[in-house]
């Protein structure tokens, strides 16, 4: 197993180098000059030329790529053209924000999705099955921004139960350690703050988790239905096991594999795809960071942002692959 | 036994989710258990002895808090309240008033400016503000090799170059030398007179940073601002919030009135309004014109209208057939109905433009009557020019929304329909933003939508940049060149008597009105909103809102 994990980690290197070449090429192929974009319409030609030289954009592309990859090898992600800050120090807080949000969104999606799927399969063709699957269909097709705005309108503006934006209260920012605010509050033993942070997580997590939840529910249901018709379940039943035990102990285990695949893929998608939720809930995450960078043609930030997202995508898939072996001992690497 | 894992994982996740859900509900129902952090936010509203806290929400984060090295409004909006410049603007206009300099003199030839500085002013780090500090700041911007210029870290000061004609050693660099007379007197010697010099000195981009902080933080000064302004910097969580607190030793007694000022980033316009309505924030900038009437009629909220400081226009490349014909340009001016653009796009919250500069600017010529919307007259003019046999023109539409034109596509549609009525067919051309700016500079376009925002409240910044022959290939995207106009612009730029300047600009506008190198569409008046409890807030046309006099009423 260890050898397998090592091999997978080594495979990461060519994947990431490939990613750098692709992102570098794409980023430099999109039309638009960062100096002009940063300075806007009121910029004089001299100012644009000065800034271009300053940012090292006059070098040929292969030279620029060479600089980039050399720095990267030394763990230096470069400096943002726009803010002049080190990207390595700018990127982690945003990534942590998105990871935290993704985690809670997936917790919500898995808990509701898996259980709704199980019950739907268990009580196939019942009113619950019908309602849950209709709800799942609506969930899959619901535009995230609409759901997010409706949540804000109802729970923040009208009822005033939950905050409408941000990760914590205004004016009293946390002293970050890991930049996972729930964890940080707990490390500080600041429980009121942990509660506040959790409250801020609820609406965006639901908005972000709704689509994966619906997909997971549908996948769990169909997978469970298939397993429930297999011979060994009939045998277990014949032995007189209770329905609950049959489902959660015997059936779920075999139904989990395809569900786990979906969960892994969806988690990866959320990492880069959280941008709509991040924008509406003012969540300072990586999606917004990269999006802004694209708007300003901030090449180093786009490259590093995509690279980091790709890295985590691969890592999540690796974790899923390892989980397979725990759930199903028949799978061996 | 492995089945336990899946069951365990499900259980664990379920448990975590329940914690999240329960704590959320519990916290909301019983605010008292939430402790201090919860109270912090609301304290400002209750009792005059209590802490005054205000949350100001805007659409984007600051790029850097080193204001002079960036040119975005979201950066200067914040630093305006951390830093002071030698001169300042009136709270609601671009009229120059004293800042760190309480008095100033200009020599008769307009080449020497002497500023008398406030005494006893300290920076937030406790060091003294004096003439030497001013000199260091200006040298830092002018000289890329200066020890605090941080050129190697990518710092540049584009607005300094634009306003003062370049940098140290450049032929057109207008500042010849800066002499420290004594601790509280400083002299600027110019190479030639600059009519907008005082206006420039009041720009926030030329505010003074503590030299000790430049030494201490080096290129990290952009995240550790130290000035002499009413508020001092506490923290910056990127893309989220910037926290400032009252500077106790501020040079004006009794100010600022707020103890804490927080800038929040809420990118989405509707989400920002929801945050205001739910009471989480106190002031929001960037309100959709469509929401204006709702806010106006709502108890507890107040709508604010910013003064004009920009122009959105339909430009014409006067080098291209048939736009080289003045009659055709006048015809297009008569054909475009800018009143309907104001109604359709701004819900009435904009001023139809007559001249290029906004009406609250010095030298605005209010004797000029705008081209009336008159399709018949437009057809007559086209006939007179011999161009009534079906013209076809390219209309370039900018891909981004700007304060002077929030929805260029709709403007293009209206213009297209207007022109169709007088027999001109237009083909829409779309480009990405940066190529749009580059290609229009090179003159590939015929008709194009664009605009201009003021930064120092001076007409020269509009006429000199947009319509001077020297700027063809640059910001003069109309390729308009008129010797008489160029001469008048140059004359006004170096005239230091402001009354004479105003007369010159009026004359320029008369000539431009006749030549019609473009259609001036609108001066937008962007909207902001606040809780009614917010008092003393006056939005500035530059969007750099001074917050020192703002307070929360019980």
């Amino acid at each position: 197993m260890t050898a397998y994990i090592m091999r997978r980690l080594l495979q990461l290197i060519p994947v990431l180098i490939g990613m750098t070449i692709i992102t570098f090429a794409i980023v430099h192929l999109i039309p638009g000059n960062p100096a002009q974009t940063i300075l806007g319409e009121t910029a004089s030609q001299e100012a644009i030329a000065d800034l271009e030289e300053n940012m090292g954009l006059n070098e040929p592309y292969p030279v620029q790529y060479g600089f980039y990859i050399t720095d990267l090898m030394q763990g230096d992600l470069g400096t943002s053209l726009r803010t002049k800050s080190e990207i390595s120090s700018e990127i982690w807080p945003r990534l942590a924000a998105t990871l935290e949000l993704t985690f809670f969104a997936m917790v919500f999606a898995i808990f509701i999705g898996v259980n709704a799927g199980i019950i739907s399969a268990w009580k196939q063709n019942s009113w619950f099955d019908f309602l849950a699957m209709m709800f799942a269909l609506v969930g899959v097709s619901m535009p995230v921004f609409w759901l997010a705005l409706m949540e804000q309108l109802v729970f923040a503006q009208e009822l005033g139960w939950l905050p409408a934006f941000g990760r914590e209260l205004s004016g009293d920012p946390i002293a970050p350690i890991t930049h996972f605010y729930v964890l940080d509050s707990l490390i500080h033993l600041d429980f009121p703050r942990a509660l506040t942070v959790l409250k801020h997580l609820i609406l965006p997590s639901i908005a972000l988790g709704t689509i994966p939840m619906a997909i997971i529910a549908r996948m769990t249901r169909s997978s469970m239905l298939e397993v429930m018709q297999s011979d060994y379940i009939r045998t277990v039943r014949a032995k007189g096991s209770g329905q609950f035990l049959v489902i959660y102990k015997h059936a779920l285990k075999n139904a989990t594999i395809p569900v786990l695949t979906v969960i892994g893929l969806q988690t990866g998608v959320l990492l880069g795809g959280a941008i709509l939720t991040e924008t509406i809930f003012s969540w300072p995450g990586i999606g917004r960071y990269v999006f802004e960078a694209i708007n300003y043609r901030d090449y180093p930030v786009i490259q590093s942002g995509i690279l980091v997202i790709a890295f985590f995508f691969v890592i999540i898939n690796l974790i899923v692959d390892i989980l397979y072996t725990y759930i199903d001992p028949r799978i061996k690497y | 036994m492995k089945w336990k894992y899946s069951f365990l994982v499900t259980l664990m996740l379920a448990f975590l989710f329940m914690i999240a859900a329960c704590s959320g509900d519990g916290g909301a129902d019983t605010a008292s258990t939430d402790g201090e952090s919860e109270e912090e936010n609301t304290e400002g509203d209750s009792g005059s002895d209590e802490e005054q806290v205000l949350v100001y929400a805007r659409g984007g984060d600051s790029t850097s808090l080193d204001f002079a090295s960036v040119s975005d409004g979201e950066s200067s909006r914040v630093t305006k309240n951390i830093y002071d410049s030698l001169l300042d603007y009136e709270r609601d206009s671009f009229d120059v008033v004293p800042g760190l300099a309480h008095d100033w003199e200009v020599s008769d030839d307009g080449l020497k400016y002497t500023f008398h500085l406030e005494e006893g002013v300290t920076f937030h780090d406790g060091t003294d503000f004096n003439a030497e500090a001013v000199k260091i700041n200006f040298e830092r911007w002018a000289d890329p090799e200066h020890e605090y210029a941080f050129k190697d870290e990518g710092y540049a000061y584009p607005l300094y170059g634009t306003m003062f004609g370049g940098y140290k050693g450049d032929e057109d660099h207008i500042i010849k030398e800066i002499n420290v007379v004594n601790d509280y007197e400083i002299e600027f010697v110019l190479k030639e007179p600059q009519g907008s010099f005082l206006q420039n000195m009041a720009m926030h981009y030329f505010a003074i940073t503590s030299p000790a902080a430049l030494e201490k933080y080096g290129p990290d000064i952009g995240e550790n601002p130290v000035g002499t302004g009413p508020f001092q910097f506490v923290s910056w969580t990127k893309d989220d919030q910037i926290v400032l607190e009252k500077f106790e030793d501020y040079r004006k007694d009794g100010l600022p009135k707020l103890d804490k000022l927080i800038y929040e980033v809420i990118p989405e316009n509707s989400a920002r309004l929801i945050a205001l309505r739910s009471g989480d924030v106190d002031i929001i900038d960037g309100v959709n014109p469509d929401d204006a009437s709702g806010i106006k009629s709502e108890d507890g909220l107040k709508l604010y209208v910013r003064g004009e400081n920009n122009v959105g226009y339909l430009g014409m490349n006067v080098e291209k057939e048939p736009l080289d014909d003045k009659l055709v340009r006048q015809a297009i001016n008569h054909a475009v109905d800018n009143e309907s653009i104001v109604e359709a796009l701004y819900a009435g919250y904009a001023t139809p433009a007559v001249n290029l500069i906004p009406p609250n600017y010095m030298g605005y010529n209010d004797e000029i009557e705008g081209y009336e919307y008159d399709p018949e007259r437009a057809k007559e003019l086209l006939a007179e020019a011999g161009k009534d046999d079906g013209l076809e023109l390219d209309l370039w539409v900018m891909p981004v929304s700007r304060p002077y034109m929030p929805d260029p596509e709709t403007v293009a549609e209206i213009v297209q329909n207007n022109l169709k009525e007088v027999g001109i067919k237009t083909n829409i051309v779309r480009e990405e933003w940066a190529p749009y700016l580059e290609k229009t500079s090179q003159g590939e376009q015929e008709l194009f939508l664009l605009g201009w925002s003021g930064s120092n409240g001076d007409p020269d910044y509009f006429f000199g940049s947009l319509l001077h022959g020297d700027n063809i290939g640059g910001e003069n995207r109309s390729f308009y060149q008129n010797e008489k106009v160029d001469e008048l612009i140059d004359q006004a730029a170096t005239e230091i008597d402001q009354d004479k300047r105003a007369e010159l600009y009026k004359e320029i506008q008369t000539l431009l009105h006749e030549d019609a190198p473009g259609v001036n569409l609108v001066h937008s008046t962007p909207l902001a909103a606040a809780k009614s409890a917010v008092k003393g807030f006056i939005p500035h046309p530059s969007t750099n809102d001074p917050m020192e006099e703002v307070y929360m009423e019980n």
Side-chain angles (χ1 to χ4, degrees):
Chain A
M1 183 50 120
T2 324
Y4 170 71
I5 294 176
M6 286 310 294
R7 205 166 64 233
R8 284 289 301 264
L9 287 176
L10 281 177
Q11 278 172 9
L12 253 180
I13 297 170
V15 169
L16 290 180
I17 290 178
M19 285 299 301
T20 62
I21 296 174
I22 295 171
T23 49
F24 186 88
I26 292 176
V27 153
H28 286 82
L29 281 177
I30 17 176
N33 162 352
Q36 172 85 67
T37 317
I38 288 169
L39 293 173
E41 64 271 52
T42 55
S44 64
Q45 295 300 304
E46 295 81 29
I48 295 170
D50 282 353
L51 193 60
E52 267 182 356
E53 199 196 317
N54 216 312
M55 299 194 297
L57 297 170
N58 292 342
E59 305 287 347
Y61 289 155
V63 176
Q64 286 189 43
Y65 180 75
F67 283 145
Y68 167 60
I69 207 79
T70 323
D71 288 346
L72 199 64
M73 292 299 177
Q74 295 159 1
D76 180 1
L77 290 176
T79 313
S80 159
L81 296 180
R82 195 164 68 100
T83 67
K84 287 128 199 154
S85 303
E86 291 281 323
I87 295 173
S88 47
S89 68
E90 280 200 334
I91 211 164
W92 175 248
R94 270 110 166 173
L95 185 65
T98 300
L99 286 175
E100 192 177 41
L101 177 59
T102 306
F103 175 77
F104 281 93
M106 285 314 288
V107 166
F108 163 77
I110 293 169
F111 181 70
I112 305 275
V114 167
N115 285 301
I118 289 172
I119 299 172
S120 287
W122 181 359
K123 310 270 183 200
Q124 196 191 355
N125 298 328
S126 68
W127 61 268
F128 179 89
D129 181 25
F130 177 72
L131 273 184
M133 286 306 117
M134 197 168 80
F135 189 66
L137 189 66
V138 173
V140 176
S141 6
M142 183 128 53
V144 174
F145 66 90
W146 184 83
L147 176 65
L149 278 174
M150 282 306 119
E151 280 181 5
Q152 283 185 336
L153 205 64
V154 174
F155 295 101
Q157 182 178 317
E158 296 305 320
L159 298 172
W161 290 352
L162 293 166
F165 69 94
R167 296 180 75 185
E168 54 181 339
L169 290 175
S170 302
D172 184 27
I174 193 169
I177 301 166
T178 62
H179 288 278
F180 296 108
Y181 283 8
V182 179
L183 200 61
D184 285 351
S185 318
L186 295 177
I187 294 173
H188 286 301
L189 296 177
D190 187 348
F191 298 108
R193 187 193 290 276
L195 281 181
T196 319
V197 172
L198 285 170
K199 264 204 288 186
H200 280 82
L201 272 160
I202 294 176
L203 293 184
S205 298
I206 294 176
L208 189 62
T210 297
I211 290 178
M213 176 197 76
I215 294 174
I216 290 169
R218 286 156 64 99
M219 181 52 92
T220 310
R221 179 177 180 272
S222 64
S223 178
M224 279 298 279
L225 281 177
E226 211 180 296
V227 173
M228 296 287 275
Q229 275 150 22
S230 57
D231 292 345
Y232 82 95
I233 292 290
R234 204 184 50 204
T235 314
V236 172
R237 279 198 173 131
K239 280 164 70 183
S241 282
Q243 183 73 304
F244 185 82
L245 211 60
V246 169
I247 286 171
Y248 278 90
K249 181 176 168 184
H250 298 281
L252 183 58
K253 199 170 73 177
N254 272 319
T256 304
I257 297 289
V259 176
L260 198 62
T261 311
V262 170
I263 290 174
L265 286 175
Q266 286 295 316
T267 312
V269 168
L270 289 199
L271 268 186
I275 173 154
L276 278 177
T277 314
E278 286 173 5
T279 302
I280 294 175
F281 285 102
S282 315
W283 200 265
I286 190 130
R288 247 172 78 198
Y289 182 58
V290 174
F291 179 72
E292 288 265 304
I294 293 173
N295 276 341
Y296 282 97
R297 303 286 184 272
D298 196 340
Y299 297 154
V301 174
I302 306 176
Q303 282 159 198
S304 304
I306 294 179
L307 200 61
V308 167
I309 293 173
F311 176 77
F312 274 84
F313 199 100
V314 177
I315 291 289
I316 287 168
N317 277 303
L318 177 61
I319 294 173
V320 169
D321 284 350
I322 295 169
L323 280 179
Y324 285 157
T325 61
Y326 278 104
I327 289 166
D328 189 345
R330 284 170 302 183
I331 298 177
K332 287 223 163 52
Y333 297 113
Chain B
M1 288 306 283
K2 289 284 163 67
W3 69 271
K4 276 186 183 162
Y5 283 105
S6 66
F7 190 54
L8 219 70
V9 167
T10 320
L11 259 185
M12 208 174 69
L13 294 180
F15 180 57
L16 271 170
F17 175 73
M18 268 154 63
I19 298 179
C22 294
S23 57
D25 287 348
D29 290 341
T30 52
S32 56
T33 59
D34 255 359
E36 287 167 13
S37 53
E38 173 83 321
E39 249 98 84
E40 194 95 52
N41 197 22
T42 46
E43 260 172 25
D45 314 26
S46 50
S48 55
D49 290 341
E50 302 208 9
E51 207 182 25
Q52 288 257 326
V53 181
L54 184 135
V55 184
Y56 186 128
R58 66 236 176 90
D61 199 9
S62 303
T63 305
S64 162
L65 297 181
D66 182 43
F67 46 88
S69 63
V70 289
S71 51
D72 65 310
E74 290 310 339
S75 297
S76 55
R77 188 202 296 275
V78 176
T79 52
K80 171 77 189 169
N81 292 292
I82 304 177
Y83 290 100
D84 289 321
S85 39
L86 291 191
L87 305 178
D88 204 349
Y89 297 124
E90 196 63 68
R91 293 193 61 200
D92 59 349
S93 75
F94 284 103
D95 292 347
V96 174
V97 297
L100 284 171
H102 57 81
D103 253 315
W104 57 91
E105 290 129 27
V106 194
S107 66
D108 290 339
D109 55 7
L111 290 177
K112 196 162 90 183
Y113 286 79
T114 311
F115 294 95
H116 301 276
L117 309 180
E118 291 279 354
E119 296 184 24
V121 175
T122 53
F123 287 105
H124 301 152
D125 59 5
T127 55
D128 285 331
F129 162 76
N130 53 32
E132 195 56 44
V134 178
K135 186 173 164 148
I136 290 174
N137 273 273
F138 274 85
E139 283 175 350
R140 173 185 176 219
W141 303 319
D143 179 5
E145 304 305 326
H146 193 273
E147 60 173 317
Y148 300 138
F150 313 131
K151 188 187 174 212
D152 294 338
E153 284 81 12
Y155 277 68
Y157 309 94
L159 261 132
Y160 181 89
T162 307
M163 291 302 158
F164 297 116
Y167 304 91
K168 189 182 172 185
D170 290 354
E171 197 186 325
D172 295 333
H173 184 215
I174 201 139
I175 299 179
K176 192 165 147 199
E177 54 190 64
I178 300 171
N179 302 316
V180 173
V181 181
N182 60 47
D183 265 2
Y184 300 105
E185 203 176 314
I186 191 164
E187 226 176 57
F188 285 74
V189 182
L190 308 186
K191 282 186 198 153
E192 57 175 287
Q194 185 183 39
S196 57
F197 186 74
L198 290 174
Q199 213 67 38
N200 291 346
M201 291 299 279
M203 284 175 73
H204 177 63
Y205 294 100
F206 308 121
I208 307 301
T209 301
S210 157
L214 286 169
E215 178 63 39
K216 181 176 170 192
Y217 296 112
D220 292 335
I221 192 73
E223 290 172 17
N224 298 280
V226 180
T228 57
F231 294 93
Q232 57 183 348
F233 176 73
V234 178
S235 70
W236 181 8
T237 315
K238 297 257 177 105
D239 278 349
D240 187 3
Q241 56 177 318
I242 295 176
V243 182
L244 310 181
E245 66 181 13
K246 178 180 189 164
F247 176 44
E248 296 293 346
D249 292 330
Y250 185 49
R251 63 191 162 89
K252 296 184 192 167
D253 284 339
L255 295 179
K257 294 180 177 169
L258 293 170
D259 296 300
K260 222 174 195 184
L261 173 60
I262 299 144
Y263 288 91
E264 275 282 357
V265 180
I266 305 184
E268 236 283 316
N269 277 7
S270 351
R272 216 176 309 125
L273 183 56
I274 287 175
L276 178 70
R277 285 191 166 134
S278 64
D280 293 333
V281 305
D282 304 301
I283 297 179
I284 58 171
D285 193 31
V287 170
N288 291 333
D290 291 339
D291 291 325
S293 58
I295 294 171
K296 247 179 150 176
S297 61
E298 201 165 317
D299 276 347
L301 295 187
K302 191 172 173 205
L303 184 73
Y304 291 86
V305 182
R306 245 176 234 292
E308 299 108 338
N309 186 33
N310 59 34
V311 63
Y313 62 82
L314 169 68
M316 306 182 205
N317 182 345
V318 302
E319 281 192 338
K320 291 231 169 140
E321 275 258 359
L323 298 172
D324 55 348
D325 188 336
K326 189 166 83 182
L327 293 174
V328 175
R329 299 198 299 263
Q330 290 177 341
I332 292 175
N333 264 282
H334 275 298
V336 173
D337 179 12
N338 56 5
E339 304 255 352
S340 72
I341 292 176
V342 168
E343 275 315 311
L345 243 78
Y346 302 85
Y349 288 99
T351 313
V354 174
N355 295 311
L356 191 67
I357 52 172
N360 48 357
Y361 267 45
M362 175 260 280
Y364 182 83
N365 193 337
D366 47 19
E367 283 164 19
I368 294 174
E369 277 183 40
Y371 285 95
E372 212 181 328
Y373 171 58
D374 188 350
E376 290 313 311
R377 176 78 190 124
K379 281 183 200 160
E380 281 170 35
L381 284 167
L382 285 174
E384 201 178 317
K387 303 276 166 51
D388 51 348
D389 50 350
L391 282 177
E392 199 170 327
L393 292 170
D394 283 345
L395 170 58
W396 287 47
V397 185
M398 43 196 279
V400 292
S401 132
R402 307 300 269 181
Y404 47 74
M405 209 175 282
D407 184 4
E409 286 287 331
T410 309
V411 175
E413 234 169 75
I414 295 174
V415 168
Q416 198 171 28
N417 280 331
N418 284 163
L419 293 181
K420 200 171 136 197
E421 266 176 56
V422 300
I424 302 176
K425 183 172 182 277
T426 44
N427 307 312
I428 302 277
V429 179
R430 292 183 182 83
E431 278 283 354
E432 279 254 34
W433 185 221
Y436 186 91
L437 293 175
E438 282 161 28
K439 289 182 178 172
T440 48
S441 268
Q442 291 151 9
E444 289 186 22
Q445 77 285 16
E446 287 171 342
L447 298 173
F448 64 105
L449 291 176
L450 206 59
W452 194 255
S453 295
S455 62
N456 60 350
D458 195 89
D460 181 56
Y461 192 60
F462 281 72
F463 296 119
S465 310
L466 290 175
L467 294 170
H468 194 292
D470 286 352
N471 273 330
I472 286 178
E475 302 96 301
N476 182 348
R477 295 177 165 87
S478 313
F479 290 77
Y480 174 73
Q481 188 159 24
N482 178 331
E483 270 175 38
K484 179 73 185 154
V485 170
D486 285 359
E487 198 186 304
L488 288 169
I489 292 175
D490 290 338
Q491 204 183 333
T494 52
E495 174 62 62
I496 54 163
D497 181 331
Q498 300 300 320
D499 293 336
K500 280 189 197 152
R501 287 186 80 205
E503 285 312 311
L504 292 167
Y505 286 122
K506 284 184 180 168
E507 201 181 331
I508 291 171
Q509 287 160 71
T510 312
L511 291 170
L512 290 178
H513 182 70
E514 170 68 22
D515 266 354
V519 184
N520 301 318
L521 296 173
V522 291
H523 306 293
S524 78
T525 49
L527 300 174
K531 289 179 186 166
S532 329
V534 174
K535 301 290 173 193
F537 176 61
I538 303 175
H540 194 268
S542 68
T543 72
N544 298 337
D545 301 327
M547 301 296 287
E548 58 185 26
E549 310 234 14
V550 179
Y551 63 99
M552 304 286 293
E553 198 183 56
N554 302 332

